[in-house]
Amino acid sequence: MTSNSRSLDHLPPLPRAFYIRDPRRVARELLGKVLVRHDRGSLRAGRIVEVEAYLGRKDPAAHAFSGPTPRNQVLFGPPGHAYVYFIYGNHYCLNVSCEPEGRGGGVLFRALEPISGIEAMARARHLRLPSVPRPGELRLLASGPGRLAEALGITRPRDNAKDFASPVADLQIVDDGFPPARVALTPRVGITKAADHKLRYLIAGNPFVSGKR
DNA sequence: TTATAGATTGCCT
DNA sequence: GGCAATCTATAAT
């Protein structure tokens, strides 16, 4: 982890072309990139360490499986846009749309390794961290899709349909030159349909992936 | 109109 | 390990 908030602020967002591809390819290549939330001069950022691919209309576990609805229409729009949904009455989850317009592929963001804006993340999560947090405490910030969204202040009313590729977006994904990491593949978490497919991508050995320690 | 499951989390035993 | 919280999209009546 070599980034600081100054450099993150000036890196360009990943281009739209990055997201046009198959969600499996996008998911794999998102690992190691940095998800950045800008607000009012401050920023919160974390390295993407865990994602899941959802394959659109051919994937029974995907929200896009049954075709476009008011809820999921962003998935069928142009690539590189935020699809935010509310789940279990408590949590928001953040995805990015993939593939060319008209197709429903997407990638779910499941865990970040916090890099910057840690105090703001802790406030958003209603946590009190010691001045020198231990890794086990930092994990509580953004290890899990609901936690990640809460840490970055992501909600459907605020963020659904936002364009990740816009240079003025307050939600961006940037490449800070972090070297490619070893990728592990597992089945997706918390689903019942198509549960045997290995479509969960994580940085092997990274302590900030979701789940119990 | 009513019922139910859901891409989760945190607290309880 | 079990389960309640708490909303919504979708299925069933």
Side-chain angles (χ1 to χ4, degrees):
Chain A
M1 201 222 305
T2 53
S3 294
N4 58 52
S5 51
R6 190 188 317 280
S7 63
L8 290 174
D9 216 1
H10 295 288
L11 291 168
L14 297 181
R16 175 124 20 246
F18 181 91
Y19 303 102
I20 293 178
R21 304 168 293 167
D22 185 290
R24 288 165 288 205
R25 186 78 184 283
V26 175
R28 177 181 292 271
E29 295 193 18
L30 278 174
L31 292 177
K33 304 296 191 295
V34 178
L35 179 58
V36 181
R37 160 71 101 184
H38 297 268
D39 38 19
R40 291 205 298 268
S42 71
L43 68 81
R44 288 172 261 181
R47 192 167 311 286
I48 298 164
V49 300
E50 177 184 345
V51 293
E52 284 175 358
Y54 286 85
L55 309 183
R57 302 205 63 159
K58 63 187 173 198
D59 179 358
H63 287 183
F65 180 63
S66 301
T69 68
R71 178 206 201 190
N72 68 18
Q73 61 175 335
V74 172
L75 288 172
F76 292 91
H81 289 251
Y83 167 50
V84 182
Y85 65 87
F86 191 57
I87 192 67
Y88 294 121
N90 294 302
H91 308 290
Y92 291 99
C93 293
L94 173 68
N95 302 251
V96 60
S97 60
C98 301
E99 304 186 302
E101 184 163 2
R103 305 190 41 175
V107 172
L108 169 70
F109 295 90
R110 288 194 55 92
L112 301 179
E113 176 174 350
I115 292 175
S116 184
I118 286 170
E119 289 182 10
M121 291 190 206
R123 269 196 305 279
R125 292 268 300 121
H126 314 107
L127 295 172
R128 293 194 73 96
L129 295 184
S131 51
V132 184
R134 297 165 29 225
E137 293 160 334
L138 289 178
R139 279 191 84 254
L140 296 174
L141 292 177
S143 292
R147 291 170 170 179
L148 181 161
E150 188 172 57
L152 298 185
I154 288 165
T155 69
R156 179 170 172 100
R158 180 178 178 187
D159 298 303
N160 190 56
K162 277 186 180 171
D163 182 4
F164 279 101
S166 163
V168 295
D170 64 353
L171 217 44
Q172 292 185 337
I173 301 167
V174 303
D175 184 348
D176 68 345
F178 188 77
R182 199 162 66 80
V183 174
L185 274 175
T186 80
R188 294 174 290 187
V189 174
I191 59 168
T192 54
K193 302 163 212 156
D196 51 328
H197 295 76
K198 290 188 174 181
L199 292 171
R200 175 175 176 241
Y201 296 73
L202 42 92
I203 294 183
N206 187 286
F208 290 89
V209 301
S210 70
K212 307 222 181 278
R213 287 284 86 193

